[in-house]
Amino acid sequence: MGLGVAQPDIMANARPEHAGATLNTAPHSLDAMAVLAALDTDPEQGLSDAEAARRSRRFGPNLLRHRRPAGPWRILLNQFESLVVWLLAAAAALSLLLGDIAEGFAILIVLALNSAIGFVTEWKAVRSVEALRQVARVATRVRRDGAVRAVPAESLVPGDIVLVEGGDIVTADLRLIEASRMQADESLLTGESTPVSKGTAPVPEDAPLAERTSMLFKGTVVTRGNGAAVVLATGMATELGHIADLAAAAEPEQSPLEKRLARLGGQLIWLTLAVVTVIGGVGFASGAPPLLMLEAGVALAVAAIPEGLPIVATLALARGMWRMARKNALVERLGAVETLGATTVIVADKTGTLTENRMAVSRLALPSGGWEATADAAPASEVREALTVAVLCNDATLASAGGAADAATGDPTEIALLRAGAAAGLHRATLLADLPELREEAFDPDTKMMATVHRAADGFLYAVKGAPEAVLPRATRIRTGDGGDAPLARDGRQRWLAEAARLAADGQRVLALALKRAAGATDDPYAELIFLGLVGLLDPPREDVPQAISDCIAAGIRVVMLTGDHAATARAIGRRVGLPEGEVIEGGALPPLPELDDAARARLAAVPVLARMSPAQKLDLVALYQRSGEIVAMTGDGVNDAPSLKKADIGVAMGLRGTQVAREAADMVLADDAFPTIVAAVREGRVIFDNIRKFVVYLLSCNLSEILVVGIAVLAGLPLPILPLQILFLNLVTDVFPAFSLAAGEGEAGVMARPPRDPAEPILTRRHWLSIAGYGMLITAATLTALAIARWVLMLPQREAVTISFLTLAFAQLWHVFNMRGRSARLIVNEVTANPVVWGALALCVLLLLGAVHIPLIADVLKLVPPDRDGWTVVLGASLAPLLLAQLGDALRKGVRR
């Protein structure tokens, strides 16, 4: 923890960008006066304006560094990082060098089109995410030159005396020097939803962050009480700043799809070089004309490169991004769209992600029996009496009778009690009209109780609430079911303490309720109480989370919960949200992960619930999963989640409740904060990968047929059956539209009923490569057969014969789209034939092919001539043969398997 001070010998160690310097002793373990002395600050006068200005120049503004969004030039350059794009550029350069201007410029147009699509899509996504980022200007009350004034939070400096009260946002790391019944909500920093009591007493030097009760931390909220504190650190020297540094240092992982496409691009480079080298060498060795071999080399290079792949991949991912945006999942990076489909582990932060991040009454345990907050029946008289005490002994406020979640102020526990009372028709304002409050004994962390005194018709009513271990020893009687009361003996107290422990083990925060009636208003409020019962409160799970987790488990995805609660509470919450039973490990019991042996790491990786994990431990945990071969999605909304959000394969931040730091670190932002949106995104990711696999198989089998057609003709000493520009036309026009129609598929019905694919599995497995080879050879055979018929049966000139082979190849590739149905799909009705985009793409491509041979300008560029009736008969018959043979082979394969 950095501590900024005014003395030159101490301040000399502080870096200019960090408003703090290092002391040997942690300030939370020092006496408050010692900290003030080290900072050279008078608590009554504060800093002078001149000294504050000097320290501001020294340490800079009290601001966190934040990631600048990707600029347009960076996004544009990202579009040229694919190996396939570089292959296209090389093909364009080669065409231009050989004087094929039309071919070269056609490929360059493809590059420009692909880059424009990717740029527009990513830029739109960046702007959507930026719209969520709001920078709020917060004022802070400080004491300077002996006067209290409000100053912008960014102008705070180490040594400033800050005044805080309930409702204030803490704007720097502070050491308390005065505190009156103060509590703070530190959930965004520690992950623990229950407010923490604060005081001025030093705590042990090795106390974890969540137990440094003498400190207030930047970004947290004071929920009750008031006091004064001295600024220890500002900006990047705060605990919040340290987490921001961790997030900046975390290396983002390349998405699985990016890795696979990069691997496929590398394979295509070697394939292209090998094919051109082998066929070119054989041709030159056989004495073929050099110009023919150069032209064949260009044709082979163009044929080996799936020019449509980057276009279709970009469009498929962009379409997935737009579909996810309509479902409230904003994705900033195209490659991240598919990553969720490969996810094997979702590491979910509890507070605000799996739970509501608000306390709610769960049940009342009364001497007459239990009462669930969800009960439909009107509460009995003893329940109303207990809730009346809970509402009267309260400092929070609800702005409306209904108690809207966004219209309450005060301690979260007290707000929950008011809401429970309002649900039973007990509103504080109405109760106070009949029972006016005369005085209050505010909650004291030492006594762990609070009391209010009210004027009643028969005297005075004392309403008391507090910790069970504090209230029960003060109670001498207990309320009975008939409205009377009976003595409370020692064994009775022990039974109720055991009940309180049971509720706590179930993940609930437990308060005891009591009252007494007296003739005067100045009696000891905690003497001779009548015990009414216990109230259990919890941070409830979001209603849709258990089903979402069940869907994840059905899809073979493991969900791991991280929480700032203690182990017993964490276990109960995990059970409540639907996580499988298992060991719970607290971060404080873990040695640094590098010190764990293989068995300990395997045990940690299998744990479903992890409690009280520090940001650094979360970061290490994500790395541990990744080293085990898992694809990790990390969800969260707090500052403490930011480093692991960035490190995960895909970080998922909450858009409504999430902090700016978390949103900046994430790849995806949930605009509705709904965990089920993640499940929908997982399905979308799986569908996208399946579709990508289909169109890659489709494109590569088409390209292989082109390679074989050219290669076999060259090796056989025949004229080229298809020219380079014709190949480019097929790859960019007639191939792209059917491939994109496959990318637009809605997916199979059971896509979420299967386990995640192996993270190491490539886009194309051995089975897919064999399919590509089989389909490619069928189309090649059909094309060369059509060429032979045209040349030696119909006796057509070379240009007319090349037109027949071109059209046969083109239509065979169009019909080939129907071979892309699932292995278990039916022949006629399946996900391909049911896709209207497929039929639209085929109709468009047929029109384009007819235009290519019948529009003179295009026909001249492509060197085509319109075929006669016999020629069209050959084209249609030969082009349908590969589809029919492939379907026959598939039927035989299924028959043999049966």
Side-chain angles (χ1 to χ4, degrees):
M1 175 71 187
L3 179 59
V5 291
Q7 287 89 335
D9 58 328
I10 299 179
M11 291 178 70
N13 293 326
R15 288 182 290 168
E17 71 273 17
H18 278 192
T22 303
L23 290 182
N24 292 330
T25 304
H28 55 266
S29 65
L30 296 176
D31 180 78
M33 297 309 295
V35 175
L36 288 168
L39 288 164
D40 193 21
T41 298
D42 183 341
E44 299 301 325
Q45 294 294 314
L47 298 177
S48 66
D49 286 337
E51 178 61 20
R54 189 183 72 82
R55 297 190 187 191
S56 180
R57 289 192 299 270
R58 172 81 176 171
F59 298 115
N62 176 29
L63 296 173
L64 295 179
R65 289 192 297 268
H66 65 88
R67 186 189 69 184
R68 295 181 61 184
W73 286 109
R74 179 67 262 175
I75 295 175
L76 184 61
L77 290 175
N78 288 344
Q79 312 311 313
F80 296 94
E81 293 179 351
S82 166
L83 285 174
V84 176
V85 171
W86 286 104
L87 281 172
L88 285 174
L94 186 59
S95 297
L96 293 173
L97 286 174
L98 292 175
D100 294 324
I101 305 300
E103 294 173 13
F105 276 104
I107 298 175
L108 291 176
I109 290 172
V110 173
L111 278 173
L113 178 62
N114 175 69
S115 302
I117 293 171
F119 173 82
V120 170
T121 303
E122 289 202 33
W123 177 248
K124 182 178 178 181
V126 168
R127 295 295 297 271
S128 297
V129 174
E130 280 298 305
L132 291 174
R133 296 173 182 157
Q134 301 176 359
V135 180
R137 297 181 65 86
V138 179
T140 302
R141 291 189 306 140
V142 300
R143 191 175 287 147
R144 287 186 181 171
D145 284 327
V148 175
R149 66 183 74 167
V151 300
E154 58 264 32
S155 68
L156 289 181
V157 296
D160 260 328
I161 301 299
V162 175
L163 306 181
V164 292
E165 60 184 13
D168 285 352
I169 297 174
V170 181
T171 52
D173 280 3
L174 311 175
R175 173 62 164 89
L176 286 166
I177 57 176
E178 299 174 13
S180 174
R181 299 176 172 86
M182 185 181 294
Q183 290 186 329
D185 179 356
E186 298 180 340
S187 60
L188 289 180
L189 194 62
T190 66
E192 187 166 356
S193 57
T194 305
V196 180
S197 295
K198 295 293 184 177
T200 61
V203 297
E205 184 173 349
D206 60 352
L209 192 70
E211 296 175 9
R212 297 179 189 176
T213 55
S214 59
M215 300 283 297
L216 293 174
F217 298 105
K218 182 178 177 71
T220 62
V221 179
V222 177
T223 58
R224 69 183 303 165
N226 56 71
V230 60
V231 176
L232 297 176
T234 58
M236 294 301 293
T238 61
E239 292 293 339
L240 193 62
H242 295 165
I243 295 175
D245 267 339
L246 279 177
E251 291 294 331
E253 292 292 309
Q254 192 181 29
S255 78
L257 179 64
E258 291 168 334
K259 295 174 184 177
R260 290 176 173 86
L261 287 177
R263 188 183 308 132
L264 180 60
Q267 292 168 343
L268 290 175
I269 286 178
W270 291 110
L271 176 63
T272 302
L273 293 176
V275 169
V276 172
T277 301
V278 170
I279 295 181
V282 172
F284 280 116
S286 63
L291 185 59
L292 174 63
M293 297 314 303
L294 286 175
E295 189 177 21
V298 173
L300 288 169
V302 173
I305 301 169
E307 286 86 356
L309 179 59
I311 296 175
V312 178
T314 300
L315 288 173
L317 293 174
R319 184 175 183 274
M321 178 183 287
W322 296 329
R323 283 166 58 93
M324 292 170 76
R326 289 198 296 268
K327 297 175 182 178
N328 293 312
L330 303 178
V331 182
E332 188 171 359
R333 194 166 48 87
L334 277 178
V337 173
E338 179 271 343
T339 306
L340 270 171
T343 297
T344 58
V345 175
I346 297 178
V347 183
D349 181 64
K350 182 212 75 173
T351 304
T353 305
L354 300 179
T355 64
E356 297 281 358
N357 195 21
R358 64 174 181 84
M359 299 299 290
V361 172
S362 172
R363 71 188 310 269
L364 291 175
L366 306 175
S368 59
W371 175 78
E372 300 291 335
T374 56
D376 294 329
S381 58
E382 60 268 24
V383 174
R384 293 183 62 84
E385 182 181 42
L387 289 176
T388 297
V389 167
V391 171
L392 289 174
C393 187
N394 205 302
D395 283 333
T397 58
L398 297 179
S400 63
D406 57 352
T409 58
D411 179 82
T413 298
E414 295 193 330
I415 292 172
L417 296 174
L418 289 185
R419 289 199 180 106
L426 300 170
H427 303 291
R428 193 164 193 270
T430 305
L431 292 176
L432 289 177
D434 296 329
L435 300 166
E437 182 178 318
L438 301 180
R439 70 185 182 95
E440 174 186 314
E441 288 287 327
F443 176 82
D444 189 330
D446 294 328
T447 63
K448 297 182 180 180
M449 289 185 291
M450 173 185 176
T452 54
V453 183
H454 304 265
R455 186 184 300 279
D458 56 351
F460 297 92
L461 170 68
Y462 289 69
V464 178
K465 75 172 187 294
E469 65 271 20
V471 174
L472 279 165
R474 302 296 190 100
T476 58
R477 303 187 69 79
I478 184 171
R479 183 66 81 210
T480 57
D482 57 2
D485 53 75
L488 179 61
R490 184 175 182 276
D491 59 343
R493 293 191 184 94
Q494 294 301 315
R495 285 196 301 272
W496 282 102
L497 287 173
E499 175 65 12
R502 189 189 67 78
L503 291 174
D506 192 40
Q508 302 187 53
R509 185 181 185 190
V510 186
L511 294 176
L513 301 174
L515 62 77
K516 77 170 182 177
R517 297 185 182 274
T522 59
D523 291 10
D524 180 356
Y526 304 129
E528 298 182 352
L529 299 176
I530 299 174
F531 176 71
L532 300 180
L534 303 173
V535 56
L537 305 99
L538 51 79
D539 181 6
R542 294 172 181 261
E543 290 184 0
D544 45 13
V545 163
Q547 182 60 50
I549 290 179
S550 176
D551 292 342
C552 287
I553 294 172
I557 301 169
R558 195 158 61 88
V559 180
V560 177
M561 185 182 77
L562 298 181
T563 175
D565 299 302
H566 289 285
T569 304
R571 180 179 288 106
I573 295 171
R575 185 167 54 249
R576 196 171 285 115
V577 299
L579 291 176
E581 293 288 342
E583 184 181 8
V584 177
I585 295 180
E586 288 197 11
L590 277 178
L593 287 188
E595 299 178 8
L596 297 178
D597 57 25
D598 291 343
R601 292 187 182 192
R603 170 180 162 234
L604 178 61
V607 170
V609 178
L610 294 152
R612 303 181 77 80
M613 300 284 284
S614 70
Q617 287 177 317
K618 292 182 183 181
L619 191 62
D620 288 342
L621 183 68
V622 171
L624 173 65
Y625 289 133
Q626 290 171 334
R627 283 195 296 270
S628 301
E630 307 280 9
I631 301 299
V632 183
M634 169 76 189
T635 77
D637 64 347
V639 172
N640 58 323
D641 301 320
S644 43
L645 284 173
K646 186 174 181 182
K647 174 64 177 174
D649 294 286
I650 181 165
V652 184
M654 304 295 122
L656 296 177
R657 300 173 187 250
T659 61
Q660 178 184 342
V661 176
R663 291 196 297 266
E664 288 185 347
D667 300 292
M668 185 171 82
V669 177
L670 303 183
D672 58 359
D673 283 13
F675 189 81
T677 302
I678 299 173
V679 181
V682 168
R683 186 189 187 281
E684 191 68 33
R686 290 189 176 189
V687 169
I688 287 171
F689 184 83
D690 288 348
N691 291 343
I692 287 175
R693 176 171 274 170
K694 287 178 183 177
F695 74 66
V696 169
V697 169
Y698 173 80
L699 287 174
L700 292 187
S701 52
C702 291
N703 280 76
L704 178 62
S705 66
E706 295 162 4
I707 294 172
L708 292 175
V709 165
V710 174
I712 291 173
V714 170
L715 293 176
L718 300 173
L720 289 181
I722 184 168
L723 303 178
L725 195 56
Q726 294 172 355
I727 295 174
L728 190 62
F729 180 86
L730 293 179
N731 288 355
L732 299 181
V733 180
T734 57
D735 283 0
V736 166
F737 294 111
F740 179 69
S741 71
L742 292 173
E746 297 294 329
E748 301 175 21
V751 70
M752 287 298 287
R754 67 189 191 211
R757 64 183 181 273
D758 185 346
E761 182 179 295
I763 292 179
L764 301 178
T765 64
R766 180 175 179 273
R767 176 176 66 84
H768 296 110
W769 283 112
L770 290 175
S771 297
I772 289 169
Y775 293 138
M777 287 188 286
L778 285 175
I779 296 174
T780 299
T783 303
L784 293 178
T785 299
L787 175 65
I789 293 173
R791 195 77 173 92
W792 291 294
V793 176
L794 300 180
M795 305 301 292
L796 296 177
Q798 180 174 335
R799 185 163 179 172
E800 284 82 348
V802 169
T803 300
I804 297 298
S805 59
F806 165 78
L807 289 173
T808 300
L809 180 60
F811 278 100
Q813 291 179 353
L814 292 185
W815 313 144
H816 177 44
V817 74
F818 295 110
N819 289 325
M820 296 298 104
R821 62 187 174 92
R823 301 186 76 191
S824 60
R826 288 179 292 178
L827 177 63
I828 302 300
V829 180
N830 52 62
E831 72 273 16
V832 177
T833 58
N835 184 351
V837 184
V838 167
W839 296 102
L842 292 180
L844 176 61
C845 289
V846 168
L847 291 176
L848 290 173
L849 287 171
L850 292 175
V853 295
H854 288 288
I855 297 175
L857 178 61
I858 301 176
D860 289 342
V861 172
L862 294 178
K863 300 180 181 179
L864 299 172
V865 293
D868 57 15
R869 185 177 62 183
D870 291 340
W872 277 114
T873 301
V874 172
V875 167
L876 293 177
S879 65
L880 283 169
L883 172 64
L884 298 176
L885 290 173
Q887 295 305 315
L888 178 61
D890 186 62
L892 291 174
R893 177 184 57 81
K894 291 181 179 179
V896 171
R897 178 173 298 174
R898 284 195 295 267

